[in-house]
Amino acid sequence: MKSIKDAPIQIGTRVFVAADLDVPIENGVIKETYRLEGLLPTTKFIVEKGGIPIFGGHMGSPHGKVDDILSTRHLKSFFDTQLGTSGYVLLENLRFDIREENNDEQYARELADKADIYVNENFSTSHRRHASIAQLPKILPAFAGFRLESEIQHLTKILDSPEKPFVVVIGGAKLESKKPTVSKFIQLADYVLIGGKIGLDWTDEIPQNLILPLDYAENQLDIGPETVRKYVDIISTAKTVLWAGPMGFYEKDKYLLGTKSIAEAITGNPNCFSLIGGGDTVAAANRVGLLEKFSFVSTGGGSMLEFLVKKTLPGIEALG
Ligand code: ADP
Ligand code: MG
């Protein structure tokens, strides 16, 4: 895998930036920009060399149908302000064309015609075998962006040499999506703390280092006070914490306490390297005002979980 820092970018070089553009928009306003901010180091590097970034990415899942709410035009003001130049191209939502998701070779060729080289700066979609992720980098000279490299580096560190004690906190609603990650970290971590709905749905055996909730709050929509106490104690001893998945139905204040307590325990531990990821986990950390306090915030959800299990992704493989 070659780094963007070694890419042959000269004045006028057109660089297709496979970009993580999938940010929430409300009434045309971007509600959360951390993914877009992740694009800036690579983008500024291209612009400083005189290259022209051609951003190609998706918003939402329009499955081949044009939907103005999901148009990338809503992102133009962000790039104009951040880059201070109009010397870039923002392609329309790639998923407005069904061939993107179908990993269509002809579509990839059409995208390739727009650029001279390719850079992957879309970690959060790199688990998908889609045309701009898995196909296009086989056609153009392909490079990893700075943010993608940083994702790989931090996640690899967590897998290979986490400082111990290493505590993994897994929550959320969909057990199937988290189960391989739980199984993996049962092997690697000192503790795997389970919260959220997946704690209720867990039916497999319970090894010694896997901790399930001891109690729940009202309607089982949050972990209870005894669980919070136990988890906070364990987290306070950790040197490394990985957190994916809220502890409860955090969207409602009434069920936010468990998630808030865990976020406070992690970010309040001064000796701890903390890594979080997942759309809802990041939103929850933001909601309690602590997102900035985590050591590393992955832009990935599903892609982060898959990378943690397989140590690679289709989009990373395609970079060679
Ligand atoms: P992420 O996006 O961070 O990967 P998930 O999508 O797996 O996280 O899970 C987040 C969702 O799980 C949220 O919508 C949250 O409300 C829900 N959730 C968590 N715990 C519970 C619970 N006990 N009951 C119902 N929903 C829950
Ligand atoms: Mg989610």
Side-chain angles (χ1 to χ4, degrees), residues 243 257-269 274 276 281-297:
W243 181 23
L257 188 61
T259 301
K260 182 170 182 251
S261 307
I262 295 305
E264 284 169 352
I266 298 171
T267 56
N269 177 342
S274 56
I276 67 168
T281 310
V282 170
N286 220 353
R287 198 177 160 95
V288 298
L290 292 172
L291 185 61
E292 251 85 279
K293 301 251 190 271
F294 289 87
S295 314
F296 187 78
V297 180

mmCIF file of all heavy atoms in Angstrom, residues 243 257-269 274 276 281-297:
data_model
loop_
_atom_site.group_PDB
_atom_site.id
_atom_site.type_symbol
_atom_site.label_atom_id
_atom_site.label_comp_id
_atom_site.label_asym_id
_atom_site.label_seq_id
_atom_site.Cartn_x
_atom_site.Cartn_y
_atom_site.Cartn_z
ATOM 1 N N TRP A 243 -14.149 1.292 22.537
ATOM 2 C CA TRP A 243 -15.589 1.370 22.810
ATOM 3 C C TRP A 243 -16.379 1.460 21.509
ATOM 4 O O TRP A 243 -16.150 2.355 20.697
ATOM 5 C CB TRP A 243 -15.895 2.594 23.686
ATOM 6 C CG TRP A 243 -17.357 2.737 24.039
ATOM 7 C CD1 TRP A 243 -18.306 1.757 24.072
ATOM 8 C CD2 TRP A 243 -18.032 3.951 24.395
ATOM 9 N NE1 TRP A 243 -19.524 2.278 24.443
ATOM 10 C CE2 TRP A 243 -19.386 3.616 24.647
ATOM 11 C CE3 TRP A 243 -17.624 5.280 24.533
ATOM 12 C CZ2 TRP A 243 -20.335 4.567 25.016
ATOM 13 C CZ3 TRP A 243 -18.569 6.231 24.910
ATOM 14 C CH2 TRP A 243 -19.917 5.877 25.156
ATOM 15 N N LEU A 257 -28.000 7.781 30.864
ATOM 16 C CA LEU A 257 -27.080 7.779 32.015
ATOM 17 C C LEU A 257 -25.972 6.728 31.919
ATOM 18 O O LEU A 257 -24.804 7.012 32.203
ATOM 19 C CB LEU A 257 -27.877 7.601 33.321
ATOM 20 C CG LEU A 257 -27.050 7.774 34.593
ATOM 21 C CD1 LEU A 257 -26.440 9.168 34.687
ATOM 22 C CD2 LEU A 257 -27.897 7.476 35.837
ATOM 23 N N GLY A 258 -26.330 5.515 31.509
ATOM 24 C CA GLY A 258 -25.326 4.453 31.407
ATOM 25 C C GLY A 258 -24.237 4.836 30.418
ATOM 26 O O GLY A 258 -23.037 4.747 30.720
ATOM 27 N N THR A 259 -24.642 5.287 29.254
ATOM 28 C CA THR A 259 -23.700 5.687 28.206
ATOM 29 C C THR A 259 -22.846 6.861 28.666
ATOM 30 O O THR A 259 -21.629 6.879 28.478
ATOM 31 C CB THR A 259 -24.491 6.061 26.933
ATOM 32 O OG1 THR A 259 -25.252 4.910 26.526
ATOM 33 C CG2 THR A 259 -23.581 6.479 25.804
ATOM 34 N N LYS A 260 -23.502 7.822 29.300
ATOM 35 C CA LYS A 260 -22.791 9.011 29.802
ATOM 36 C C LYS A 260 -21.755 8.616 30.846
ATOM 37 O O LYS A 260 -20.608 9.091 30.818
ATOM 38 C CB LYS A 260 -23.823 9.973 30.405
ATOM 39 C CG LYS A 260 -23.241 11.274 30.914
ATOM 40 C CD LYS A 260 -24.372 12.263 31.259
ATOM 41 C CE LYS A 260 -23.816 13.596 31.730
ATOM 42 N NZ LYS A 260 -24.021 13.824 33.171
ATOM 43 N N SER A 261 -22.135 7.722 31.750
ATOM 44 C CA SER A 261 -21.212 7.296 32.810
ATOM 45 C C SER A 261 -19.991 6.593 32.231
ATOM 46 O O SER A 261 -18.872 6.780 32.704
ATOM 47 C CB SER A 261 -21.916 6.353 33.793
ATOM 48 O OG SER A 261 -23.102 6.940 34.264
ATOM 49 N N ILE A 262 -20.215 5.775 31.210
ATOM 50 C CA ILE A 262 -19.100 5.056 30.569
ATOM 51 C C ILE A 262 -18.183 6.057 29.856
ATOM 52 O O ILE A 262 -16.957 5.997 29.975
ATOM 53 C CB ILE A 262 -19.647 4.000 29.569
ATOM 54 C CG1 ILE A 262 -20.431 2.904 30.308
ATOM 55 C CG2 ILE A 262 -18.529 3.399 28.727
ATOM 56 C CD1 ILE A 262 -19.693 2.195 31.411
ATOM 57 N N ALA A 263 -18.789 7.007 29.143
ATOM 58 C CA ALA A 263 -17.988 8.034 28.444
ATOM 59 C C ALA A 263 -17.166 8.835 29.448
ATOM 60 O O ALA A 263 -15.986 9.131 29.209
ATOM 61 C CB ALA A 263 -18.913 8.959 27.648
ATOM 62 N N GLU A 264 -17.760 9.163 30.591
ATOM 63 C CA GLU A 264 -17.043 9.919 31.623
ATOM 64 C C GLU A 264 -15.905 9.096 32.215
ATOM 65 O O GLU A 264 -14.807 9.607 32.459
ATOM 66 C CB GLU A 264 -18.011 10.358 32.735
ATOM 67 C CG GLU A 264 -18.872 11.538 32.314
ATOM 68 C CD GLU A 264 -20.012 11.827 33.300
ATOM 69 O OE1 GLU A 264 -20.233 11.019 34.237
ATOM 70 O OE2 GLU A 264 -20.683 12.865 33.113
ATOM 71 N N ALA A 265 -16.165 7.812 32.449
ATOM 72 C CA ALA A 265 -15.133 6.952 33.038
ATOM 73 C C ALA A 265 -13.944 6.822 32.092
ATOM 74 O O ALA A 265 -12.788 6.887 32.518
ATOM 75 C CB ALA A 265 -15.720 5.581 33.361
ATOM 76 N N ILE A 266 -14.216 6.639 30.811
ATOM 77 C CA ILE A 266 -13.125 6.458 29.840
ATOM 78 C C ILE A 266 -12.316 7.742 29.719
ATOM 79 O O ILE A 266 -11.092 7.739 29.847
ATOM 80 C CB ILE A 266 -13.675 6.039 28.455
ATOM 81 C CG1 ILE A 266 -14.410 4.697 28.536
ATOM 82 C CG2 ILE A 266 -12.521 5.954 27.437
ATOM 83 C CD1 ILE A 266 -15.172 4.309 27.264
ATOM 84 N N THR A 267 -13.016 8.845 29.487
ATOM 85 C CA THR A 267 -12.290 10.096 29.229
ATOM 86 C C THR A 267 -11.717 10.684 30.520
ATOM 87 O O THR A 267 -10.802 11.507 30.475
ATOM 88 C CB THR A 267 -13.193 11.144 28.547
ATOM 89 O OG1 THR A 267 -14.347 11.358 29.369
ATOM 90 C CG2 THR A 267 -13.647 10.662 27.187
ATOM 91 N N GLY A 268 -12.233 10.229 31.669
ATOM 92 C CA GLY A 268 -11.719 10.711 32.955
ATOM 93 C C GLY A 268 -10.507 9.934 33.426
ATOM 94 O O GLY A 268 -9.887 10.280 34.432
ATOM 95 N N ASN A 269 -10.164 8.861 32.748
ATOM 96 C CA ASN A 269 -8.994 8.056 33.116
ATOM 97 C C ASN A 269 -7.766 8.668 32.428
ATOM 98 O O ASN A 269 -7.608 8.568 31.220
ATOM 99 C CB ASN A 269 -9.217 6.610 32.664
ATOM 100 C CG ASN A 269 -8.023 5.722 32.944
ATOM 101 O OD1 ASN A 269 -6.909 6.207 33.171
ATOM 102 N ND2 ASN A 269 -8.244 4.417 32.921
ATOM 103 N N SER A 274 -7.769 5.852 24.463
ATOM 104 C CA SER A 274 -9.147 5.453 24.178
ATOM 105 C C SER A 274 -9.462 5.585 22.702
ATOM 106 O O SER A 274 -9.085 6.566 22.053
ATOM 107 C CB SER A 274 -10.121 6.313 24.990
ATOM 108 O OG SER A 274 -9.908 7.683 24.724
ATOM 109 N N ILE A 276 -12.735 5.107 19.977
ATOM 110 C CA ILE A 276 -14.155 4.813 19.788
ATOM 111 C C ILE A 276 -14.514 4.889 18.306
ATOM 112 O O ILE A 276 -13.820 5.527 17.512
ATOM 113 C CB ILE A 276 -15.099 5.740 20.596
ATOM 114 C CG1 ILE A 276 -15.043 7.185 20.079
ATOM 115 C CG2 ILE A 276 -14.771 5.690 22.067
ATOM 116 C CD1 ILE A 276 -16.160 8.047 20.663
ATOM 117 N N THR A 281 -22.234 5.562 18.496
ATOM 118 C CA THR A 281 -21.310 5.759 19.617
ATOM 119 C C THR A 281 -20.730 7.167 19.571
ATOM 120 O O THR A 281 -20.656 7.858 20.597
ATOM 121 C CB THR A 281 -20.182 4.710 19.552
ATOM 122 O OG1 THR A 281 -20.776 3.432 19.394
ATOM 123 C CG2 THR A 281 -19.334 4.723 20.808
ATOM 124 N N VAL A 282 -20.354 7.591 18.382
ATOM 125 C CA VAL A 282 -19.805 8.936 18.213
ATOM 126 C C VAL A 282 -20.889 9.979 18.511
ATOM 127 O O VAL A 282 -20.636 10.976 19.199
ATOM 128 C CB VAL A 282 -19.234 9.110 16.790
ATOM 129 C CG1 VAL A 282 -18.886 10.564 16.510
ATOM 130 C CG2 VAL A 282 -17.999 8.222 16.612
ATOM 131 N N ALA A 283 -22.097 9.732 18.028
ATOM 132 C CA ALA A 283 -23.204 10.659 18.297
ATOM 133 C C ALA A 283 -23.481 10.752 19.792
ATOM 134 O O ALA A 283 -23.732 11.835 20.335
ATOM 135 C CB ALA A 283 -24.459 10.218 17.545
ATOM 136 N N ALA A 284 -23.402 9.605 20.475
ATOM 137 C CA ALA A 284 -23.661 9.579 21.927
ATOM 138 C C ALA A 284 -22.567 10.334 22.673
ATOM 139 O O ALA A 284 -22.853 11.127 23.583
ATOM 140 C CB ALA A 284 -23.755 8.139 22.416
ATOM 141 N N ALA A 285 -21.311 10.130 22.278
ATOM 142 C CA ALA A 285 -20.195 10.821 22.930
ATOM 143 C C ALA A 285 -20.317 12.331 22.705
ATOM 144 O O ALA A 285 -20.027 13.135 23.595
ATOM 145 C CB ALA A 285 -18.870 10.315 22.382
ATOM 146 N N ASN A 286 -20.786 12.683 21.539
ATOM 147 C CA ASN A 286 -21.019 14.084 21.208
ATOM 148 C C ASN A 286 -22.135 14.662 22.065
ATOM 149 O O ASN A 286 -22.044 15.773 22.577
ATOM 150 C CB ASN A 286 -21.421 14.174 19.733
ATOM 151 C CG ASN A 286 -20.792 15.361 19.054
ATOM 152 O OD1 ASN A 286 -20.163 16.202 19.700
ATOM 153 N ND2 ASN A 286 -20.938 15.430 17.747
ATOM 154 N N ARG A 287 -23.184 13.869 22.226
ATOM 155 C CA ARG A 287 -24.357 14.300 22.985
ATOM 156 C C ARG A 287 -24.007 14.636 24.434
ATOM 157 O O ARG A 287 -24.586 15.538 25.024
ATOM 158 C CB ARG A 287 -25.392 13.173 22.935
ATOM 159 C CG ARG A 287 -26.789 13.579 23.290
ATOM 160 C CD ARG A 287 -27.724 12.393 23.120
ATOM 161 N NE ARG A 287 -28.942 12.613 23.870
ATOM 162 C CZ ARG A 287 -30.039 13.121 23.359
ATOM 163 N NH1 ARG A 287 -30.089 13.414 22.086
ATOM 164 N NH2 ARG A 287 -31.096 13.307 24.118
ATOM 165 N N VAL A 288 -23.042 13.881 24.991
ATOM 166 C CA VAL A 288 -22.646 14.168 26.376
ATOM 167 C C VAL A 288 -21.426 15.106 26.419
ATOM 168 O O VAL A 288 -20.827 15.311 27.473
ATOM 169 C CB VAL A 288 -22.385 12.876 27.188
ATOM 170 C CG1 VAL A 288 -23.651 12.045 27.276
ATOM 171 C CG2 VAL A 288 -21.252 12.041 26.589
ATOM 172 N N GLY A 289 -21.065 15.658 25.260
ATOM 173 C CA GLY A 289 -20.039 16.699 25.208
ATOM 174 C C GLY A 289 -18.620 16.199 25.427
ATOM 175 O O GLY A 289 -17.736 16.972 25.801
ATOM 176 N N LEU A 290 -18.369 14.908 25.182
ATOM 177 C CA LEU A 290 -17.045 14.360 25.493
ATOM 178 C C LEU A 290 -16.282 13.843 24.275
ATOM 179 O O LEU A 290 -15.179 13.312 24.418
ATOM 180 C CB LEU A 290 -17.190 13.229 26.529
ATOM 181 C CG LEU A 290 -17.624 13.678 27.926
ATOM 182 C CD1 LEU A 290 -17.930 12.469 28.811
ATOM 183 C CD2 LEU A 290 -16.555 14.546 28.572
ATOM 184 N N LEU A 291 -16.845 14.013 23.095
ATOM 185 C CA LEU A 291 -16.220 13.410 21.903
ATOM 186 C C LEU A 291 -14.750 13.817 21.754
ATOM 187 O O LEU A 291 -13.890 12.989 21.475
ATOM 188 C CB LEU A 291 -17.005 13.793 20.638
ATOM 189 C CG LEU A 291 -16.506 13.125 19.356
ATOM 190 C CD1 LEU A 291 -16.616 11.610 19.447
ATOM 191 C CD2 LEU A 291 -17.272 13.630 18.137
ATOM 192 N N GLU A 292 -14.467 15.089 21.995
ATOM 193 C CA GLU A 292 -13.102 15.614 21.810
ATOM 194 C C GLU A 292 -12.094 14.996 22.779
ATOM 195 O O GLU A 292 -10.898 15.069 22.559
ATOM 196 C CB GLU A 292 -13.105 17.133 22.031
ATOM 197 C CG GLU A 292 -12.918 17.918 20.757
ATOM 198 C CD GLU A 292 -14.223 18.147 20.014
ATOM 199 O OE1 GLU A 292 -14.674 17.237 19.298
ATOM 200 O OE2 GLU A 292 -14.791 19.231 20.185
ATOM 201 N N LYS A 293 -12.603 14.410 23.858
ATOM 202 C CA LYS A 293 -11.717 13.908 24.909
ATOM 203 C C LYS A 293 -11.187 12.497 24.633
ATOM 204 O O LYS A 293 -10.320 12.011 25.359
ATOM 205 C CB LYS A 293 -12.443 13.921 26.260
ATOM 206 C CG LYS A 293 -12.923 15.288 26.681
ATOM 207 C CD LYS A 293 -12.099 15.811 27.856
ATOM 208 C CE LYS A 293 -12.686 17.060 28.465
ATOM 209 N NZ LYS A 293 -12.194 18.287 27.843
ATOM 210 N N PHE A 294 -11.723 11.838 23.607
ATOM 211 C CA PHE A 294 -11.213 10.499 23.287
ATOM 212 C C PHE A 294 -9.915 10.623 22.496
ATOM 213 O O PHE A 294 -9.729 11.573 21.731
ATOM 214 C CB PHE A 294 -12.259 9.702 22.515
ATOM 215 C CG PHE A 294 -13.435 9.299 23.371
ATOM 216 C CD1 PHE A 294 -14.514 10.154 23.534
ATOM 217 C CD2 PHE A 294 -13.445 8.075 24.037
ATOM 218 C CE1 PHE A 294 -15.592 9.808 24.347
ATOM 219 C CE2 PHE A 294 -14.515 7.719 24.856
ATOM 220 C CZ PHE A 294 -15.587 8.588 25.004
ATOM 221 N N SER A 295 -9.019 9.649 22.680
ATOM 222 C CA SER A 295 -7.711 9.749 22.025
ATOM 223 C C SER A 295 -7.840 9.625 20.512
ATOM 224 O O SER A 295 -7.180 10.338 19.765
ATOM 225 C CB SER A 295 -6.773 8.653 22.533
ATOM 226 O OG SER A 295 -6.809 8.539 23.924
ATOM 227 N N PHE A 296 -8.688 8.702 20.064
ATOM 228 C CA PHE A 296 -8.860 8.523 18.621
ATOM 229 C C PHE A 296 -10.318 8.173 18.330
ATOM 230 O O PHE A 296 -10.878 7.258 18.946
ATOM 231 C CB PHE A 296 -7.945 7.409 18.086
ATOM 232 C CG PHE A 296 -7.966 7.302 16.579
ATOM 233 C CD1 PHE A 296 -7.248 8.200 15.790
ATOM 234 C CD2 PHE A 296 -8.720 6.324 15.941
ATOM 235 C CE1 PHE A 296 -7.275 8.123 14.396
ATOM 236 C CE2 PHE A 296 -8.754 6.231 14.548
ATOM 237 C CZ PHE A 296 -8.025 7.129 13.783
ATOM 238 N N VAL A 297 -10.906 8.917 17.411
ATOM 239 C CA VAL A 297 -12.291 8.661 17.010
ATOM 240 C C VAL A 297 -12.265 8.119 15.585
ATOM 241 O O VAL A 297 -11.919 8.834 14.645
ATOM 242 C CB VAL A 297 -13.145 9.945 17.076
ATOM 243 C CG1 VAL A 297 -14.583 9.650 16.658
ATOM 244 C CG2 VAL A 297 -13.111 10.539 18.480
#
